Amino acid sequence: MGFQRFHETWQEQLQNLVNKLENAPSPPTTDEENNQLYHLVQKFMSHVGDYNLVKSAVAQQDVPLVMAAPWATAFERSLHWIGGWRPTTAFHIIHTKSTVLVESRIDNMINGGGTCMTGGLSDLSADQFTDLSHLQCQTVHEEIGLSDQLSLWQDSASEILLMKYEEADFEEKMKDLAVILQKADELRLKTLREVVQLLTPQQAVEFLISAFNLYSTVCDLGFNHERQHCAN
């Protein structure tokens, strides 16, 4: 219950940060406004980093609890990869958002709205696309490696269950699982940080808002699903 309460408070604070991102000047027209976006992005990233620190501490004490994530809905948990979101989701968000924005711009041009540059995700440069593609390939490779580690852990844990139960062996397996979870959380945070570093402050704001909206949609769908089933 302690971490669940922290999770709820953290979500509320995250919503406040997103509200500030949504109300920030976009596109920024001065260096001061650009710096404002930069500092808001850094606050968002710091908030995510704080979550990882607390989650890691809890996992050291009770890793099955963190893996089970009882504070999330069943639908959210069905999308989890090693105790959280899959790092490569970040790239799907960017590609989807940039495509939608480009299509919107084309529609605007067709309807006589002009061809003004926004500086947002619809204006990713060729170098940015190349760097994001390389980062995505690297992240996929690291995801596969951690998935393999989890598979090997599950196989070895099954062997313990099939043999005589030894508490010392079980505790050692829990420590091994906590290490895998920590590596997965580190990859999530590292991917998020590196993606943000490849973007301008305005692009980073659009990306983080889109990521939060996806997270909120998943939460809402999960809650609605559970309410419907409870009603039945």
Side-chain angles (χ1 to χ4, degrees):
M1 291 302 294
F3 185 77
Q4 183 163 345
R5 179 54 190 157
F6 164 79
H7 181 79
E8 293 170 355
T9 301
W10 182 85
Q11 278 186 307
E12 294 171 0
Q13 295 170 344
L14 184 66
Q15 177 67 70
N16 291 334
L17 287 172
V18 172
N19 291 341
K20 292 180 180 179
L21 291 177
E22 292 176 333
N23 292 324
S26 183
T29 57
T30 65
D31 289 342
E32 182 180 354
E33 289 180 348
N34 197 60
N35 288 334
Q36 180 183 351
L37 294 183
Y38 173 81
H39 289 301
L40 286 173
V41 169
Q42 294 309 306
K43 284 185 178 180
F44 188 104
M45 296 303 301
S46 178
H47 192 57
V48 176
D50 290 343
Y51 182 86
N52 269 29
L53 287 175
V54 176
K55 182 181 177 185
S56 177
V58 174
Q60 296 301 316
Q61 302 298 320
D62 193 351
V63 65
L65 172 72
V66 177
M67 291 290 287
W71 45 86
T73 65
F75 177 61
E76 288 177 75
R77 291 193 294 272
S78 72
L79 300 174
H80 278 182
W81 171 83
I82 313 183
W85 57 277
R86 185 177 286 274
T88 45
T89 304
F91 304 100
H92 299 313
I93 292 171
I94 289 180
H95 294 318
T96 300
K97 182 65 176 180
S98 62
T99 299
V100 169
L101 290 173
V102 168
E103 290 176 348
S104 177
R105 177 185 293 182
I106 292 174
D107 288 341
N108 190 48
M109 291 168 56
I110 293 174
N111 293 321
T115 60
C116 62
M117 302 291 282
T118 68
L121 288 176
S122 63
D123 290 321
L124 288 169
S125 68
D127 287 342
Q128 283 179 309
F129 272 118
T130 299
D131 290 341
L132 287 167
S133 179
H134 288 162
L135 180 58
Q136 182 174 6
C137 290
Q138 176 187 331
T139 305
V140 168
H141 177 74
E142 294 184 63
E143 278 186 1
I144 292 173
L146 286 174
S147 294
D148 289 344
Q149 288 184 37
L150 179 61
S151 180
L152 290 173
W153 179 88
Q154 290 171 334
D155 288 342
S156 63
S158 298
E159 292 174 1
I160 289 180
L161 298 177
L162 292 173
M163 296 184 293
K164 183 178 179 182
Y165 174 83
E166 292 289 345
E167 185 173 352
D169 291 336
F170 180 80
E171 291 303 320
E172 193 62 32
K173 287 301 175 186
M174 291 301 99
K175 291 179 181 179
D176 293 341
L177 180 58
V179 169
I180 296 172
L181 174 61
Q182 182 173 354
K183 289 180 180 179
D185 283 339
E186 289 172 352
L187 180 58
R188 279 184 270 269
L189 185 58
K190 181 179 74 123
T191 301
L192 194 60
R193 284 174 172 164
E194 293 182 348
V195 165
V196 166
Q197 287 175 357
L198 293 175
L199 304 175
T200 66
Q202 181 186 346
Q203 291 168 344
V205 167
E206 292 182 4
F207 163 63
L208 294 176
I209 290 174
S210 297
F212 178 80
N213 288 340
L214 175 61
Y215 171 72
S216 295
T217 298
V218 170
C219 290
D220 290 342
L221 287 172
F223 282 125
N224 290 337
H225 175 78
E226 291 184 354
R227 278 197 296 265
Q228 290 175 359
H229 279 258
C230 286
N232 295 330

